[in-house]
Amino acid sequence: MTTYKLLVIGLSAGGYPLIKRILQALPKNYPLPVAIVAHLPGGDESNLAQLLDASAQLHVRMATDKQVLARGNVYLAPPGYHLLIEQNGDAPLAFALSVDEPVKSVRPSIDVLFDSAAEALETSLIAVLLSGANSDGAEGMATVKKLGGLGMVLDPRLSEFSTMPEAAIKRVEVDYVVSLDEIISLLLSVDEKS
Amino acid sequence: MLPLRNPQHFGCLLFHVDTMPLIKWKNHQTENIEVSLMLSALQQRYGYDFSGYARASLKRRLMALTQYFEVAHLTELIPAMLYDEAVAQTVINSISVPASEFFRDGAVWKAVREIVLPGLASFPRINIWQSGCGGGEETYTLAILLHEAGLAKRARIYSSDINPAFLDDARAGCWSRRHLDDWRENYRKSGGKQDFEQYFVARDGEICIREELKQSIEFIQHNLVTDQVFKEVQWVVCRNVLIYFGQELQDSVLHLLSRSLERGGYLLLGHAEKIMQLTEHYPDLEELDDQAQLYRKKVCMIRSKVHDHL
Ligand SMILES: C[S@@+](CC[C@H](N)C(=O)[O-])C[C@H]1O[C@@H](n2cnc3c(N)ncnc32)[C@H](O)[C@@H]1O
């Protein structure tokens, strides 16, 4: 039986109401820390943490460099920085940031977060892709699957901006292509599994 | 024939070799070995020590080189890198990322205008050390700020970087016009009231910083990993460099930066580079603005036990 240790979520255009609902549903004692890359049009990311924190039960905040991941928290990539997961030997999981070139013309990039999380956590990772108007996240999801993590993608037929989920399921076979409600209940069932 | 002191033991060893399972390595773990080998070659041949850098992003940049050079494995680049300095320079350039902007994170420079510049004005001389200057965008940001605060004549900016190629770019001070709109917007967010473009002249389709703004700047090669403090300064600016370092290296570099500060001097880090455990690890520093990551070296250390006993 797998013990999951981290949940990563990627979203872009149209993703805000979706992530809001997911975070409203996750209980205060949710067993996994959550790391999110969201690129929203017009640089709206800056106060995204505050907006989401107001309605979530978990503590939502902007990730900082070298910060150790702890359950009970949801971390957002700071605007303008890639967010990566570092696993060094026995040290606890920590974030790392970079201002390396944008990937697929975005920074933060979902691919960068998913790739680094997959390498750090292999089978102990859950990755979720919601909605967006570009193909960011598809490569990252492929890495997650290659290294044995659990991959979920929002059903593109239920998404206003379906390019992102479509690109991902075209690129790699994931475990679930389902509605938001089903994603939420799958994420909640982790509680009992781990 | 070798004297076998303990034939039984020998037999036992053979037995082990026969059945010892080769540990199954995943490709990404094997790539980590390749990264270490590359870094070791670079260090032994060229003296650049990147071993303490944060691994995840470093690996990503190195792995991108396999596509650039069209090789299947990173270690295939080792011979080329050892014998061809141009290849080594490409590798070093890809490890040290010069990405910068004028007035990146406008709100941070607003805090600088409100807190740091008036504070600096009270020092008899103003020396500023900007470490990790990249292509110079941030260096001239400092020059513009000093100019607008009327401090340019009294101040010297020492701008350093590990990479001499970036220092050359920074000295030249020319960029593509396409950035101008973003930079003007950053400048406006920083509380800038002038016409931002007046600080540039157009040349060969590019924009180049005005010569007057270069006058107070000195560019020097300095490696935060191996070089020491070179001057006592009143302001250290080191933004988006520490994120590239692992925890240990970050700690030792922060101590280096703090040592080079005069008491009462300021330290400005990158927007997302929060110093963890400030009070325990850096009792000399205090936080002035946690949004801007602006710190100050305390004017006087709180006298501890000795004082209490008097
Ligand atoms: C991302 S840039 C930051 C540019 C600028 N400070 C900014 O924030 O806009 C990082 C810079 O740090 C430099 N750097 C990396 N390692 C260094 C070291 N060991 N010593 C000095 N500079 C270093 C790189 O060459 C690069 O120019």
Coordinates of all heavy atoms in Angstrom, one line a residue, chain A residues 37-127:
Chain A
V37 N 1.1 25.4 -8.4 CA 1.6 26.4 -9.3 C 0.3 26.8 -10.1 O -0.4 26.0 -10.6 CB 2.6 25.8 -10.4 CG1 2.7 26.8 -11.6 CG2 3.9 25.7 -9.7
A38 N 0.0 28.1 -10.0 CA -1.1 28.7 -10.6 C -0.6 29.9 -11.4 O 0.0 30.8 -10.9 CB -2.1 29.2 -9.6
H39 N -0.8 29.9 -12.7 CA -0.6 31.2 -13.4 C -1.9 31.7 -13.9 O -2.6 31.1 -14.7 CB 0.5 31.1 -14.6 CG 0.7 29.8 -15.2 ND1 0.0 29.3 -16.2 CD2 1.7 28.8 -14.8 CE1 0.5 28.1 -16.5 NE2 1.5 27.8 -15.7
L40 N -2.2 32.9 -13.4 CA -3.5 33.5 -13.8 C -3.2 34.7 -14.6 O -2.2 35.4 -14.4 CB -4.2 33.8 -12.5 CG -4.4 32.6 -11.6 CD1 -5.1 33.0 -10.3 CD2 -5.3 31.6 -12.3
P41 N -4.1 35.1 -15.5 CA -3.8 36.2 -16.3 C -3.7 37.5 -15.5 O -4.3 37.7 -14.5 CB -5.1 36.3 -17.3 CG -6.1 35.4 -16.6 CD -5.3 34.4 -15.8
G42 N -2.8 38.4 -16.0 CA -2.7 39.7 -15.4 C -2.0 39.7 -14.1 O -2.2 40.6 -13.3
G43 N -1.2 38.7 -13.8 CA -0.4 38.7 -12.5 C -1.3 38.7 -11.3 O -0.9 39.3 -10.3
D44 N -2.4 38.1 -11.4 CA -3.3 38.1 -10.2 C -2.8 37.2 -9.1 O -3.4 37.1 -8.0 CB -4.7 37.6 -10.6 CG -5.6 38.7 -11.1 OD1 -5.2 39.8 -10.9 OD2 -6.6 38.4 -11.7
E45 N -1.7 36.5 -9.4 CA -1.2 35.5 -8.4 C -0.8 36.2 -7.0 O -0.8 35.6 -6.0 CB 0.1 34.8 -8.9 CG -0.1 34.0 -10.1 CD 0.4 34.7 -11.3 OE1 0.5 35.9 -11.3 OE2 0.7 34.1 -12.4
S46 N -0.4 37.5 -7.1 CA 0.1 38.1 -5.9 C -0.8 38.0 -4.7 O -0.3 37.8 -3.6 CB 0.4 39.6 -6.2 OG 0.8 39.8 -7.5
N47 N -2.1 38.2 -4.9 CA -2.9 38.1 -3.7 C -3.7 36.8 -3.7 O -4.6 36.7 -2.9 CB -3.8 39.3 -3.5 CG -4.4 39.8 -4.8 OD1 -4.5 39.0 -5.7 ND2 -4.9 41.0 -4.8
L48 N -3.4 35.9 -4.5 CA -4.1 34.6 -4.6 C -4.0 33.9 -3.2 O -5.0 33.3 -2.8 CB -3.5 33.7 -5.7 CG -4.2 32.4 -6.0 CD1 -5.6 32.7 -6.5 CD2 -3.4 31.6 -7.0
A49 N -2.9 33.9 -2.6 CA -2.7 33.2 -1.3 C -3.7 33.7 -0.3 O -4.4 32.9 0.4 CB -1.3 33.4 -0.8
Q50 N -3.8 35.1 -0.2 CA -4.8 35.6 0.7 C -6.2 35.3 0.4 O -7.0 34.9 1.3 CB -4.7 37.2 0.7 CG -3.5 37.7 1.6 CD -3.1 39.1 1.2 OE1 -3.5 39.5 0.1 NE2 -2.5 39.8 2.1
L51 N -6.5 35.4 -0.9 CA -7.9 35.0 -1.3 C -8.3 33.6 -0.9 O -9.3 33.3 -0.4 CB -8.0 35.2 -2.8 CG -8.2 36.6 -3.3 CD1 -8.2 36.6 -4.9 CD2 -9.4 37.2 -2.8
L52 N -7.4 32.7 -1.3 CA -7.7 31.3 -1.0 C -7.6 31.0 0.5 O -8.4 30.2 1.0 CB -6.6 30.4 -1.7 CG -6.8 30.3 -3.2 CD1 -5.6 29.5 -3.9 CD2 -8.1 29.7 -3.7
D53 N -6.7 31.6 1.2 CA -6.6 31.4 2.6 C -7.9 31.7 3.4 O -8.3 31.0 4.3 CB -5.5 32.2 3.2 CG -5.1 31.7 4.6 OD1 -5.0 30.5 4.9 OD2 -5.0 32.6 5.5
A54 N -8.6 32.7 2.9 CA -9.8 33.2 3.5 C -10.9 32.1 3.5 O -11.7 32.0 4.4 CB -10.4 34.4 2.8
S55 N -10.9 31.2 2.5 CA -12.0 30.3 2.4 C -11.5 28.8 2.7 O -12.4 27.9 2.8 CB -12.7 30.3 1.1 OG -11.8 30.0 0.0
A56 N -10.2 28.6 2.8 CA -9.7 27.3 3.0 C -9.6 26.9 4.5 O -9.5 27.8 5.4 CB -8.4 27.1 2.4
Q57 N -9.6 25.6 4.8 CA -9.4 25.2 6.2 C -7.9 25.1 6.5 O -7.4 25.3 7.6 CB -10.1 23.9 6.5 CG -11.6 24.1 6.3 CD -12.3 22.7 6.4 OE1 -12.3 22.0 7.4 NE2 -12.9 22.3 5.3
L58 N -7.2 24.7 5.5 CA -5.7 24.6 5.6 C -5.2 26.0 5.5 O -5.8 26.9 5.1 CB -5.2 23.7 4.5 CG -5.6 22.3 4.5 CD1 -5.3 21.6 3.2 CD2 -4.8 21.5 5.6
H59 N -3.9 26.1 5.9 CA -3.3 27.4 5.9 C -2.6 27.7 4.6 O -1.7 26.9 4.2 CB -2.2 27.4 7.0 CG -1.6 28.7 7.4 ND1 -2.4 29.8 7.5 CD2 -0.3 29.1 7.5 CE1 -1.6 30.9 7.8 NE2 -0.3 30.4 7.8
V60 N -3.1 28.7 3.8 CA -2.6 28.9 2.5 C -1.6 30.1 2.5 O -1.9 31.1 3.0 CB -3.7 29.3 1.4 CG1 -3.1 29.3 0.0 CG2 -4.8 28.2 1.5
R61 N -0.4 29.8 1.9 CA 0.6 30.9 1.9 C 1.5 30.8 0.7 O 1.6 29.7 0.1 CB 1.4 30.8 3.2 CG 1.9 29.3 3.3 CD 3.0 29.1 4.3 NE 2.5 28.9 5.6 CZ 3.4 28.9 6.7 NH1 4.6 29.1 6.5 NH2 2.9 28.6 7.8
M62 N 2.3 31.8 0.5 CA 3.3 31.8 -0.6 C 4.5 31.0 -0.1 O 5.0 31.2 1.0 CB 3.7 33.2 -0.8 CG 4.1 33.5 -2.2 SD 2.6 33.6 -3.3 CE 2.4 35.3 -3.4
A63 N 5.1 30.1 -0.9 CA 6.2 29.4 -0.6 C 7.5 30.3 -0.5 O 7.6 31.2 -1.3 CB 6.5 28.2 -1.6
T64 N 8.4 30.0 0.4 CA 9.7 30.7 0.4 C 10.8 29.7 0.2 O 10.6 28.5 0.4 CB 9.9 31.6 1.6 OG1 9.8 30.7 2.8 CG2 8.9 32.7 1.8
D65 N 11.9 30.3 -0.2 CA 13.1 29.4 -0.5 C 13.5 28.6 0.7 O 13.6 29.2 1.8 CB 14.2 30.3 -1.0 CG 15.4 29.4 -1.5 OD1 15.1 28.5 -2.3 OD2 16.5 29.7 -1.1
K66 N 13.8 27.3 0.5 CA 14.4 26.4 1.6 C 13.4 26.1 2.7 O 13.7 25.5 3.7 CB 15.6 27.0 2.3 CG 16.8 27.3 1.3 CD 17.4 26.1 0.7 CE 18.5 26.5 -0.3 NZ 18.0 27.0 -1.6
Q67 N 12.1 26.6 2.5 CA 11.1 26.3 3.5 C 10.8 24.8 3.6 O 10.7 24.1 2.5 CB 9.8 27.0 3.1 CG 8.7 27.0 4.0 CD 7.6 28.0 3.6 OE1 7.4 28.1 2.4 NE2 6.9 28.6 4.5
V68 N 10.7 24.2 4.8 CA 10.4 22.8 4.9 C 8.9 22.6 4.8 O 8.1 23.4 5.4 CB 10.9 22.3 6.3 CG1 10.4 20.9 6.6 CG2 12.4 22.4 6.3
L69 N 8.5 21.6 4.0 CA 7.1 21.3 3.8 C 6.5 20.7 5.0 O 7.0 19.7 5.6 CB 6.9 20.4 2.6 CG 7.0 21.0 1.2 CD1 8.5 21.2 0.9 CD2 6.4 20.0 0.2
A70 N 5.3 21.2 5.5 CA 4.7 20.6 6.6 C 3.2 20.4 6.4 O 2.6 21.3 5.7 CB 4.9 21.5 7.9
R71 N 2.6 19.3 6.9 CA 1.2 19.1 6.7 C 0.4 20.2 7.3 O 0.9 20.9 8.2 CB 0.8 17.7 7.2 CG 1.1 17.5 8.6 CD 0.7 16.1 9.1 NE -0.7 16.0 9.2 CZ -1.3 14.8 9.5 NH1 -0.6 13.7 9.7 NH2 -2.6 14.8 9.6
G72 N -0.8 20.4 6.8 CA -1.6 21.5 7.3 C -1.5 22.8 6.5 O -2.2 23.8 6.7
N73 N -0.5 22.7 5.6 CA -0.2 23.9 4.8 C -0.4 23.7 3.3 O -0.2 22.6 2.8 CB 1.2 24.4 5.0 CG 1.4 24.9 6.4 OD1 0.9 25.9 6.8 ND2 2.3 24.1 7.1
V74 N -0.8 24.8 2.6 CA -0.9 24.8 1.2 C 0.1 25.9 0.7 O 0.0 27.0 1.2 CB -2.3 25.2 0.7 CG1 -2.4 25.3 -0.8 CG2 -3.3 24.2 1.2
Y75 N 1.0 25.6 -0.2 CA 2.0 26.5 -0.6 C 1.8 26.9 -2.0 O 1.7 26.0 -2.9 CB 3.4 25.9 -0.4 CG 3.7 25.4 1.0 CD1 3.4 24.1 1.3 CD2 4.3 26.2 2.0 CE1 3.7 23.6 2.6 CE2 4.5 25.8 3.2 CZ 4.3 24.4 3.5 OH 4.5 23.9 4.8
L76 N 1.9 28.2 -2.3 CA 1.8 28.6 -3.7 C 3.1 29.1 -4.2 O 3.9 29.7 -3.5 CB 0.8 29.8 -3.8 CG -0.6 29.6 -3.5 CD1 -1.4 31.0 -3.6 CD2 -1.2 28.6 -4.5
A77 N 3.4 28.8 -5.5 CA 4.6 29.3 -6.1 C 4.6 30.9 -6.1 O 3.6 31.4 -6.6 CB 4.8 28.8 -7.5
P78 N 5.6 31.6 -5.7 CA 5.6 33.0 -5.7 C 5.6 33.5 -7.2 O 6.3 32.9 -8.0 CB 6.8 33.5 -5.0 CG 7.6 32.3 -4.7 CD 6.8 31.1 -5.0
P79 N 4.9 34.6 -7.5 CA 4.9 35.0 -8.9 C 6.3 35.3 -9.4 O 7.1 35.9 -8.7 CB 4.1 36.4 -8.8 CG 3.5 36.5 -7.5 CD 4.1 35.4 -6.6
G80 N 6.6 34.9 -10.6 CA 8.0 35.2 -11.2 C 9.0 34.1 -10.8 O 10.2 34.3 -11.3
Y81 N 8.7 33.2 -10.0 CA 9.7 32.1 -9.6 C 9.2 30.7 -10.0 O 8.0 30.5 -9.7 CB 10.0 32.2 -8.1 CG 10.7 33.4 -7.6 CD1 10.0 34.5 -7.2 CD2 12.1 33.4 -7.4 CE1 10.6 35.6 -6.7 CE2 12.7 34.5 -6.9 CZ 12.0 35.6 -6.6 OH 12.6 36.7 -6.1
H82 N 10.1 29.9 -10.4 CA 9.8 28.5 -10.5 C 9.8 27.9 -9.1 O 10.7 28.3 -8.3 CB 10.8 27.7 -11.3 CG 10.8 28.0 -12.8 ND1 9.6 27.9 -13.5 CD2 11.7 28.4 -13.7 CE1 9.9 28.3 -14.8 NE2 11.2 28.6 -14.9
L83 N 8.9 26.9 -8.8 CA 8.9 26.3 -7.5 C 9.4 24.9 -7.7 O 8.8 24.1 -8.5 CB 7.5 26.4 -6.9 CG 7.3 25.7 -5.6 CD1 8.0 26.5 -4.5 CD2 5.8 25.7 -5.2
L84 N 10.4 24.4 -6.9 CA 10.9 23.1 -7.0 C 10.9 22.4 -5.6 O 10.9 23.0 -4.6 CB 12.3 23.0 -7.6 CG 12.5 23.6 -8.9 CD1 13.1 25.0 -8.8 CD2 13.5 22.8 -9.8
I85 N 10.9 21.0 -5.7 CA 11.0 20.3 -4.4 C 12.4 19.7 -4.3 O 12.9 19.1 -5.3 CB 10.0 19.1 -4.4 CG1 8.5 19.6 -4.7 CG2 10.0 18.3 -3.1 CD1 7.9 20.4 -3.6
E86 N 13.0 19.9 -3.2 CA 14.3 19.3 -3.0 C 14.3 18.2 -2.0 O 13.7 18.3 -0.9 CB 15.3 20.4 -2.4 CG 15.7 21.4 -3.3 CD 17.0 21.1 -4.1 OE1 17.5 19.9 -4.0 OE2 17.5 21.9 -4.8
Q87 N 14.9 17.0 -2.3 CA 15.0 16.0 -1.3 C 16.5 15.7 -1.2 O 17.1 15.1 -2.1 CB 14.3 14.7 -1.8 CG 14.5 13.5 -1.0 CD 13.7 13.4 0.3 OE1 12.6 13.0 0.3 NE2 14.4 13.9 1.3
N88 N 17.1 16.1 -0.1 CA 18.5 15.9 0.0 C 18.8 14.9 1.2 O 18.6 15.2 2.3 CB 19.3 17.2 0.4 CG 19.3 18.1 -0.8 OD1 19.4 17.7 -1.9 ND2 19.0 19.4 -0.5
G89 N 19.2 13.7 0.8 CA 19.4 12.6 1.8 C 18.3 12.5 2.8 O 17.2 12.3 2.4
D90 N 18.7 12.6 4.0 CA 17.6 12.4 5.1 C 17.0 13.7 5.5 O 16.1 13.6 6.4 CB 18.3 11.7 6.3 CG 18.8 10.3 6.0 OD1 18.3 9.7 5.0 OD2 19.8 9.9 6.7
A91 N 17.4 14.8 4.9 CA 16.8 16.0 5.3 C 15.3 16.0 4.9 O 14.9 15.4 3.9 CB 17.5 17.2 4.6
P92 N 14.5 16.8 5.7 CA 13.1 16.8 5.3 C 12.9 17.5 3.9 O 13.7 18.3 3.5 CB 12.5 17.7 6.4 CG 13.6 18.4 7.1 CD 14.8 17.6 6.8
L93 N 11.8 17.2 3.3 CA 11.4 17.8 2.0 C 11.4 19.3 2.1 O 10.8 19.8 3.1 CB 10.0 17.4 1.6 CG 9.8 16.1 0.9 CD1 8.3 16.0 0.4 CD2 10.7 15.8 -0.3
A94 N 12.0 20.0 1.2 CA 12.0 21.5 1.3 C 11.8 22.1 -0.1 O 12.0 21.4 -1.1 CB 13.3 22.0 1.8
F95 N 11.3 23.3 -0.1 CA 11.2 24.0 -1.4 C 12.5 24.6 -1.9 O 13.3 25.0 -1.0 CB 10.1 25.1 -1.3 CG 8.7 24.6 -1.2 CD1 8.0 24.8 0.0 CD2 8.1 24.0 -2.2 CE1 6.7 24.4 0.1 CE2 6.8 23.5 -2.1 CZ 6.1 23.7 -1.0
A96 N 12.6 24.8 -3.2 CA 13.7 25.6 -3.7 C 13.0 26.5 -4.8 O 12.1 26.1 -5.4 CB 14.8 24.8 -4.3
L97 N 13.5 27.7 -5.0 CA 13.0 28.6 -6.0 C 14.1 28.8 -7.1 O 15.3 28.6 -6.8 CB 12.6 29.9 -5.4 CG 11.5 29.9 -4.3 CD1 11.4 31.2 -3.7 CD2 10.2 29.4 -4.9
S98 N 13.7 29.2 -8.2 CA 14.7 29.7 -9.2 C 14.0 30.7 -10.1 O 12.8 30.8 -10.3 CB 15.2 28.5 -10.0 OG 14.5 28.4 -11.3
V99 N 14.9 31.6 -10.7 CA 14.4 32.5 -11.7 C 15.0 32.1 -13.1 O 15.3 32.9 -13.9 CB 14.8 34.0 -11.4 CG1 13.9 34.5 -10.3 CG2 16.2 34.2 -11.0
D100 N 15.2 30.8 -13.2 CA 15.6 30.3 -14.6 C 14.6 30.7 -15.6 O 13.5 31.1 -15.3 CB 15.7 28.8 -14.5 CG 16.9 28.3 -13.7 OD1 17.6 29.2 -13.1 OD2 17.2 27.1 -13.7
E101 N 15.1 30.6 -16.9 CA 14.2 31.0 -18.0 C 12.8 30.4 -17.8 O 12.6 29.3 -17.3 CB 14.8 30.4 -19.3 CG 16.0 31.1 -19.7 CD 15.8 32.6 -20.0 OE1 14.9 32.9 -20.8 OE2 16.4 33.4 -19.3
P102 N 11.8 31.1 -18.3 CA 10.4 30.5 -18.3 C 10.4 29.2 -19.1 O 11.2 29.1 -20.1 CB 9.6 31.6 -19.0 CG 10.3 32.9 -18.8 CD 11.8 32.5 -18.7
V103 N 9.6 28.3 -18.8 CA 9.4 27.1 -19.5 C 8.1 27.1 -20.2 O 7.1 27.4 -19.6 CB 9.5 25.8 -18.6 CG1 9.2 24.5 -19.4 CG2 10.8 25.8 -17.9
K104 N 8.0 26.8 -21.5 CA 6.8 27.1 -22.3 C 6.2 28.4 -22.1 O 5.1 28.6 -21.8 CB 5.7 26.0 -22.0 CG 6.1 24.6 -22.5 CD 4.9 23.6 -22.2 CE 5.3 22.2 -22.5 NZ 4.6 21.3 -21.7
S105 N 7.1 29.4 -22.0 CA 6.9 30.8 -21.8 C 6.1 31.1 -20.5 O 5.6 32.2 -20.3 CB 6.2 31.5 -23.0 OG 5.1 30.9 -23.4
V106 N 6.2 30.2 -19.5 CA 5.6 30.6 -18.2 C 6.6 30.4 -17.0 O 7.4 29.5 -17.1 CB 4.3 29.9 -17.8 CG1 3.2 30.5 -18.6 CG2 4.4 28.4 -18.0
R107 N 6.5 31.2 -16.0 CA 7.3 31.1 -14.8 C 6.4 31.7 -13.7 O 6.2 32.9 -13.8 CB 8.6 31.8 -14.9 CG 9.6 31.6 -13.7 CD 10.9 32.3 -13.8 NE 10.7 33.7 -13.9 CZ 11.6 34.6 -14.5 NH1 12.7 34.2 -15.0 NH2 11.3 35.9 -14.5
P108 N 6.0 30.9 -12.7 CA 6.3 29.5 -12.5 C 5.8 28.6 -13.5 O 4.7 28.9 -14.1 CB 5.6 29.3 -11.1 CG 4.5 30.3 -11.1 CD 5.0 31.5 -11.8
S109 N 6.4 27.4 -13.6 CA 6.0 26.4 -14.6 C 5.5 25.2 -13.8 O 6.2 24.7 -12.9 CB 7.2 26.0 -15.5 OG 7.2 24.7 -15.8
I110 N 4.4 24.6 -14.3 CA 3.8 23.4 -13.6 C 4.8 22.3 -13.9 O 5.1 21.4 -13.0 CB 2.4 23.1 -14.2 CG1 1.5 24.3 -13.9 CG2 1.8 21.9 -13.6 CD1 0.1 24.2 -14.6
D111 N 5.3 22.2 -15.2 CA 6.3 21.1 -15.5 C 7.4 21.1 -14.5 O 7.8 20.0 -14.1 CB 6.8 21.4 -16.9 CG 5.8 21.0 -18.0 OD1 4.9 20.2 -17.7 OD2 6.0 21.5 -19.1
V112 N 8.0 22.2 -14.2 CA 9.1 22.3 -13.3 C 8.8 21.7 -11.9 O 9.5 20.9 -11.3 CB 9.7 23.7 -13.2 CG1 10.8 23.8 -12.1 CG2 10.3 24.1 -14.5
L113 N 7.6 22.2 -11.4 CA 7.2 21.6 -10.1 C 7.0 20.1 -10.1 O 7.5 19.4 -9.3 CB 5.9 22.3 -9.6 CG 5.3 21.7 -8.3 CD1 6.2 22.0 -7.1 CD2 3.9 22.3 -8.0
F114 N 6.2 19.7 -11.1 CA 5.9 18.3 -11.2 C 7.1 17.4 -11.4 O 7.3 16.4 -10.8 CB 4.9 18.0 -12.4 CG 3.4 18.4 -12.0 CD1 3.1 19.2 -11.0 CD2 2.4 17.9 -12.8 CE1 1.8 19.5 -10.7 CE2 1.1 18.2 -12.5 CZ 0.8 19.0 -11.5
D115 N 8.0 17.8 -12.3 CA 9.2 17.0 -12.5 C 10.0 16.9 -11.3 O 10.5 15.8 -10.9 CB 10.2 17.8 -13.6 CG 9.7 17.6 -15.0 OD1 8.8 16.7 -15.2 OD2 10.2 18.3 -15.9
S116 N 10.3 18.0 -10.6 CA 11.1 17.9 -9.4 C 10.4 17.1 -8.3 O 11.0 16.4 -7.5 CB 11.5 19.3 -8.9 OG 10.4 20.0 -8.5
A117 N 9.1 17.3 -8.1 CA 8.3 16.6 -7.1 C 8.4 15.1 -7.4 O 8.5 14.2 -6.5 CB 6.9 17.1 -7.0
A118 N 8.3 14.7 -8.7 CA 8.3 13.3 -9.1 C 9.6 12.7 -8.8 O 9.7 11.6 -8.2 CB 7.9 13.2 -10.6
E119 N 10.7 13.4 -9.0 CA 12.0 12.8 -8.7 C 12.2 12.7 -7.2 O 12.8 11.7 -6.8 CB 13.1 13.7 -9.3 CG 13.1 13.7 -10.9 CD 14.5 14.0 -11.5 OE1 15.4 14.2 -10.7 OE2 14.5 13.9 -12.7
A120 N 11.7 13.7 -6.5 CA 11.9 13.6 -5.0 C 11.0 12.5 -4.4 O 11.4 11.9 -3.4 CB 11.6 15.0 -4.4
L121 N 9.8 12.3 -4.9 CA 8.9 11.5 -4.2 C 8.5 10.2 -4.9 O 7.8 9.3 -4.3 CB 7.6 12.3 -3.9 CG 7.9 13.4 -2.8 CD1 7.2 14.7 -3.1 CD2 7.5 12.8 -1.4
E122 N 8.8 10.1 -6.1 CA 8.5 8.9 -6.9 C 7.0 8.4 -6.7 O 6.1 9.1 -7.0 CB 9.5 7.8 -6.6 CG 10.9 8.3 -6.9 CD 12.0 7.2 -6.8 OE1 11.7 6.1 -6.2 OE2 13.1 7.4 -7.3
T123 N 6.8 7.3 -6.0 CA 5.5 6.7 -5.9 C 4.7 7.4 -4.8 O 3.5 7.1 -4.7 CB 5.5 5.2 -5.6 OG1 6.3 5.0 -4.4 CG2 6.2 4.4 -6.7
S124 N 5.3 8.3 -4.0 CA 4.6 8.9 -2.9 C 3.9 10.2 -3.3 O 3.6 11.0 -2.4 CB 5.5 9.1 -1.7 OG 6.2 8.0 -1.5
L125 N 3.7 10.4 -4.6 CA 3.2 11.7 -5.0 C 1.9 11.6 -5.7 O 1.6 10.7 -6.4 CB 4.2 12.3 -6.1 CG 3.9 13.6 -6.7 CD1 4.0 14.8 -5.7 CD2 4.8 13.9 -7.9
I126 N 1.0 12.6 -5.4 CA -0.2 12.7 -6.2 C -0.2 14.1 -6.9 O 0.1 15.1 -6.4 CB -1.5 12.8 -5.2 CG1 -1.5 11.6 -4.3 CG2 -2.7 12.9 -6.1 CD1 -2.6 11.6 -3.3
A127 N -0.4 14.0 -8.3 CA -0.4 15.2 -9.1 C -1.7 15.4 -9.7 O -2.3 14.5 -10.2 CB 0.7 15.1 -10.1

